[in-house]
Amino acid sequence: MSAHVPEPARQHPSRTVLLRGGEVHSPADPFATAMVVEGDRIAWVGEEGAADSFADGVDEVVQLDGALVTPAFTDAHVHTTSTGLALTGLDLSGAGDLPEALARVRAYATARPADRVLLGHGWDAALWPAGRAPSRAELDEATGGRPLYLTRVDVHSAVVTTALLDLVPGVRERTGFHADAPLTGDAHHAVRKAAYATLTPAQRREAQAAALARAAALGIGTVHECAGPDISGEDDFTGLLALARQGTGPRVVGYWAETVASAKDAQRIRELGAIGAAGDLFADGSLGSHTAHLHAPYADAAHTGVAQLAAEDIAAHVAACTEAGLQAGFHAIGDAALSHVVDGVRAAAERVGLDRIRAARHRVEHAEMLTERTIAGFAELALTASVQPAFDAAWGGAEGMYAARLGAERARTLNPYAALLKAGVPLALGSDSPVTPLDPWGTVRAAVFHRTRSHGISARAAFTAHTRGGWRAVGRDDAGVLVPGAPADYAVWRTGELLVQAPDERVERWSTDPRSGTPGLPDLTPGNDLPVCLTTVVGGRTVFGPPNE
């Protein structure tokens, strides 16, 4: 499969730019200090002496002054509108306790008297001394009785006010409705749809533009939008793709999370602008909301979560997508859900052929609670693991949410990136923003310095998974790397000394020896400052920083 990745609008397609006097991260030349961009492609990468021969024949020379040039990052799992709303609206991710969260809700409601529904995100009761979510009565009081939709940090459950429930007929009879606890499942999807339906096109566009601007300012050149009927709606999805086509920000590759049973279904998804029936097509929920599907019960709840797709459903979807030449994929976090995915994809391979399944590069989002069996299945079926290392940074460790939900022993098995790479499973890194923030270098750091030491991977592997890995996940092997002929998607960074990580199990060991012949990367040791983005270029066009027009 070779997916069609949308190209942004461009100006001056024949314009030639020479960047020189820096460090260019390229496998074509580990000592490169200069690069020539011609239109929307990389034309040349090399050392400073050879750059002189290009200087008189280009439209512009950019003096890097020692800055680092890398491929632009790809965030392989984003919810763009929700990210923008968190950036511009009510964000509870920093609230230290329940009273502070309620005070923020009260202040936000006062400041937004015209909003039909108040929207917020980011509460995490596990971090609060009270250990509980806001009650409906508390939220009713804080909002003055107005409709409010407030998602937990994992976006798999929400607390709402009575006024919002009253806007959703029959919600109290839906699965996942709880009178005195956060809403999950169908009830949550229903209130989310009602809340987001109140956004005007202008509000949606403002949120999307804010999210894409933040991505560009962080050196992200492409985002994979994970949309679907239970998440954002068709108008939101098509509006985002239209905005991205204007070329003022990162590329947006769209996935639509709806099952496919026929070629007609596949065509409808293509007509929306999606390259796959994938992303957050839920096989289960999340660990934080106790809805991830497990083989054995939670440590802190007497059940095994929620199975949203059986293996036969997965097999039918994957087979239909493969027949139609469409990428398939699933959201799967718990070990039981991941078993269902592997079993389902293997059953699809028996119907349509293993080679066709492997060529389609179907993908699985999150893939947290893997076992040796399911890792082997990913490798056998060439499934891409689209993973979020910041989840481990936020919730891993002996005192983290994973350990509370699963117990310490099971928690230590989560997010086994080293085992995935050792088995040959392709990795693509992302944030699942707004679940965790857009933060590409922080994501690379989290993959290297995993809370479970044996699961950490090298900086080079993590960086590759966050650049080239995202392109490979959409079927493109010619991008995400600075070599002649590749798309001119790159970022310029102010950073400290570049290091090469030694081939050693201890990920903290670094080398500055240039004889390694390997391009260096910033020192990502925790406590060190992360690189600062100076410029981001997509398809030869500056989307952040000084224009090269």
Side-chain angles (χ1 to χ4, degrees):
M1 182 195 75
S2 180
H4 173 69
V5 177
E7 296 290 335
R10 294 186 297 274
Q11 295 179 359
H12 309 302
S14 61
R15 185 177 178 81
T16 303
V17 178
L18 168 64
L19 298 90
R20 66 184 305 179
E23 301 279 353
V24 179
H25 186 93
S26 172
D29 184 346
F31 308 106
T33 61
M35 181 171 78
V36 174
V37 175
E38 189 170 296
D40 63 352
R41 297 279 158 175
I42 307 296
W44 173 83
V45 174
E47 297 178 50
E48 194 64 27
D52 290 336
S53 63
F54 293 97
D56 293 334
V58 300
D59 297 299
E60 181 182 1
V61 177
V62 175
Q63 297 292 343
L64 293 170
D65 298 324
L68 170 67
V69 183
T70 71
F73 285 100
T74 293
D75 192 312
H77 193 119
V78 173
H79 303 286
T80 307
T81 302
S82 296
T83 297
L85 291 171
L87 290 170
T88 61
L90 174 56
D91 182 5
L92 297 183
S93 60
D97 56 25
L98 178 56
E100 181 183 348
L102 291 170
R104 291 191 186 189
V105 171
R106 191 173 291 108
Y108 188 76
T110 301
R112 308 280 294 203
D115 287 8
R116 292 174 58 196
V117 173
L118 300 166
L119 301 171
H121 168 74
W123 60 269
D124 187 354
L127 301 178
W128 296 342
R132 67 169 179 85
S135 71
R136 191 157 301 135
E138 289 169 331
L139 294 174
D140 286 347
E141 185 278 328
T143 60
R146 294 170 61 190
L148 167 73
Y149 172 70
L150 196 58
T151 48
R152 189 185 181 278
V153 64
D154 61 5
V155 199
H156 282 269
S157 59
V159 289
V160 303
T161 55
T162 303
L164 182 57
L165 291 177
D166 291 342
L167 297 177
V168 188
V171 68
R172 291 169 175 83
E173 285 72 52
R174 286 180 177 261
T175 303
F177 177 82
H178 309 284
D180 295 308
L183 306 183
T184 60
D186 288 345
H188 176 216
H189 296 159
V191 296
R192 173 164 53 195
K193 184 175 182 179
Y196 276 37
T198 66
L199 287 173
T200 66
Q203 286 175 308
R204 277 201 301 268
R205 185 182 177 89
E206 177 189 16
Q208 292 168 351
L212 294 179
R214 173 63 65 89
L218 294 169
I220 297 170
T222 301
V223 299
H224 295 180
E225 166 68 12
C226 292
D230 290 332
I231 300 167
S232 55
E234 291 185 10
D235 289 345
D236 183 274
F237 183 61
T238 57
L240 172 64
L241 296 181
L243 176 63
R245 284 194 294 270
Q246 295 179 11
T248 57
R251 304 172 193 264
V252 176
V253 178
Y255 286 95
W256 186 253
E258 195 165 3
T259 54
V260 168
S262 65
K264 184 178 180 180
D265 291 343
Q267 182 59 29
R268 193 186 75 79
I269 285 173
R270 284 197 182 92
E271 289 171 355
L272 286 175
I275 71 161
D280 276 337
L281 183 53
F282 297 118
D284 68 344
S286 74
L287 291 166
S289 291
H290 290 100
T291 51
H293 187 210
L294 313 182
H295 283 304
Y298 285 87
D300 60 351
H303 62 82
T304 57
V306 181
Q308 299 197 37
L309 290 172
E312 52 266 31
D313 302 320
I314 291 164
H317 176 70
V318 172
C321 286
T322 306
E323 294 279 14
L326 190 68
Q327 195 176 21
F330 305 92
H331 161 121
I333 287 178
D335 51 0
L338 287 160
S339 292
H340 285 175
V341 168
V342 168
D343 292 345
V345 179
R346 186 175 286 119
E350 292 172 359
R351 298 182 198 177
V352 303
L354 178 60
D355 289 346
R356 294 180 69 189
I357 292 291
R358 290 178 59 86
R361 302 193 189 187
H362 301 310
R363 55 190 280 172
V364 182
E365 310 302 314
H366 316 311
E368 293 199 76
M369 205 172 172
L370 290 157
T371 63
E372 288 186 8
R373 174 183 173 275
T374 48
I375 290 171
F378 272 49
E380 171 198 354
L381 301 163
L383 296 173
T384 294
S386 170
V387 298
Q388 296 74 42
F391 287 7
D392 173 74
W395 304 315
E399 305 300 322
M401 182 271 289
Y402 290 153
R405 293 290 183 271
L406 302 171
E409 183 176 349
R410 279 192 295 176
R412 282 193 293 269
T413 69
L414 265 60
N415 303 304
Y417 304 139
L420 285 164
L421 286 182
K422 185 177 181 181
V425 176
L427 289 184
L429 304 191
S431 63
D432 198 9
S433 180
V435 176
T436 59
L438 299 168
D439 180 13
W441 284 113
T443 295
V444 173
R445 171 187 278 172
V448 175
F449 295 95
H450 199 292
R451 286 179 177 269
T452 302
R453 189 181 182 91
S454 61
H455 295 336
I457 59 177
S458 72
R460 183 181 180 189
F463 178 78
T464 299
H466 213 352
T467 50
R468 199 169 192 179
W471 284 91
R472 286 172 168 166
V474 298
R476 290 279 298 270
D477 294 329
D478 62 336
V481 61
L482 301 182
V483 296
D489 288 23
Y490 61 90
V492 181
W493 308 90
R494 182 175 68 245
T495 188
E497 184 178 26
L498 302 183
L499 306 176
V500 176
Q501 187 178 325
D504 190 284
E505 291 182 359
R506 295 170 298 170
V507 294
E508 296 91 339
R509 183 175 172 186
W510 305 87
S511 169
T512 57
D513 187 348
R515 293 172 299 175
S516 67
T518 301
L521 287 169
D523 184 351
L524 301 177
T525 303
N528 288 353
D529 291 337
L530 293 174
V532 175
C533 186
L534 304 175
T535 306
T536 305
V537 174
V538 175
R541 180 170 181 171
T542 301
V543 298
F544 172 74
N548 62 354
E549 306 268 335

